[in-house]
Structure formats: C-alpha cells, structure tokens
Amino acid sequence: TAGYTYAWTPPVSNTNCIYGMPPGSYTIAVTDANGCITTATDVIQGYMINATLNTTNTNCNSVCWSSDLGMFLGVGLGIIIKSNDGYIWDYINVTSNNWSSVCWSPKLNIFVAVSNTTTGSNNEIMIITYQNSTINYSYYNSSNDTNAWSSICWAQEINLFVAVSANGTNRVMTSKNGINWTGYQSSNENNGWSSVCWSPLLSMFTAVATNGTNKIMYSYNGINWKSGTSPNQNNIWQNVIWCPELLIFI
C-alpha cells in the first residue's frame, strides 16, 4: 500500500536510495501504510588502504603510472616517490624545486616533470628514468625558467610533450624529447593555466586556467592555441582529463 517510509541499517538515510557509500553491508526496511515491512540487504564491495611513504616529506603534487614499468611515479617539493602497488612508496630527495607535474612517455621510456619554482635549481625540467631498480634523474632548462610550469602531458600520437604555465611569457612550451623546449603564446597570456591533457581520438590538447578570461584553450598541434569559454568564468578550473569511454574532456 502506498505511503512508504524507509529505514537504513546503518542509519545513513531515510530515502529509498543512497549514493557514495563506503564499502560495507547496507539493509533497507520499507514500511507501507498498513505497517507491512519488507527488507533487503546489499553489500558494496571494495576496500580502503593506508599508503605508507617512507619519508617525512609528504609534499607530493603529482603522480602518474607507467604500464611498461609497472610502477607509479610521483613528484613534489624536492622529492621523487615511486611504488609498484600503490601501498608502499619509496623516495629519493632531489633539488628543492617544487615539481608540480609529471608524465610518462612509453615511446621514449622516460618520465618528465616540470617545476613551478626555481628554489633549488634554475632548471625547471627533470627527466627521470628507471633502470636496474634505480631511479636516475637529470635537469634541463625549460623554454623560460622564470615561468611557473603547472602541468605537462605526453601526446603519443604526435610524439610531443606539452606543458603550460600559470605566469610569465609564452605560457606554453613543447618538446619532442623532453630536453629541448620551445615556448609559444597561449590563447590568453594573462590566464593562469593550471592543467593540460591530450585526446588521442580528437587529436587535440585542452587546457584550463584558474584565473583570467576564456579559461579554456585548445590546440591540435601544441603550437597554435584557440580560446574556449568555460561554463562559469568565475570558477577556478584546476584540472582537466580526457575520458575515452564518454568521449569528453572534464
């Protein structure tokens, strides 16, 4: 009989649906207008873990995955971290630049990181390799080492690294090898570009900004950039990714 009420165990809601619950067992009791009760139980699978980083330096900014190496690698303030399982992380200390973003190139077999400060080194590019269970790294100049490089991505289909900057001049730079970089103007040199990614299907880069106007830009070659308009120009857009299953940037 219509006129239902709902009671959950544990008491997470009094509606007929729940969303975003952590793993566990959930039981709903549905009572109709005549006092008849029906119950149902469902179990949300999954688990939560506590990762262990073997250092007191927890200033990590970015992490990426190499399927070729079977390894996560992350960067942060004066640090490189790595893990094969996502649980236990090892680290090495590097120059005290604030390494803001890192990506993996399977073709070149290297990680490349960019820095948004030059605290420890005037070189804002770090190339990282992993061979014989050893992390090796070297530093190189960006196209402009006074820029605050915030994000980097690799476009496998056109063999190109692209990075964007939150300040400075020529707030986009590209490289074929991670060593030699060329700077280019973004669509709006007053914008603080915070993130860039590549869509293999569309053969297009997209970047977003935290401030400025027309806080989206896109490019098919990493060199020539056009402006796009975000749905809310007051928002602080910090990250962008490509979703191949849904065929959208988000």
Side-chain angles (χ1 to χ4, degrees), residues 7-10 16 18 25-30 37-43:
W8 286 90
T9 304
N16 63 336
I18 56 175
S25 178
Y26 297 87
T27 299
I28 185 173
V30 182
I37 300 175
T38 299
T39 63
T41 299
D42 196 10
V43 176

Side-chain angles (χ1 to χ4, degrees), residues 25 46 54 57 64 139 150 173 193-194:
S25 178
N54 296 316
N57 182 351
C64 69
Y139 306 116
S150 54
M173 64 175 174
W193 300 105
S194 56

Side-chain angles (χ1 to χ4, degrees), residues 3 12 18 34 85 101 103 109 119-120 135 150 161 163 184 213 215 221 238:
V12 294
I18 56 175
N34 293 327
D85 57 14
S101 181
C103 70
N109 205 37
T119 305
I135 291 178
S150 54
F161 290 103
Y184 299 97
T213 58
K215 297 180 182 180
N221 59 11
Q238 297 178 322

Side-chain angles (χ1 to χ4, degrees), residues 52-65:
T52 300
L53 177 59
N54 296 316
T55 175
T56 56
N57 182 351
T58 58
N59 296 301
C60 299
N61 298 318
S62 175
V63 65
C64 69
W65 167 255

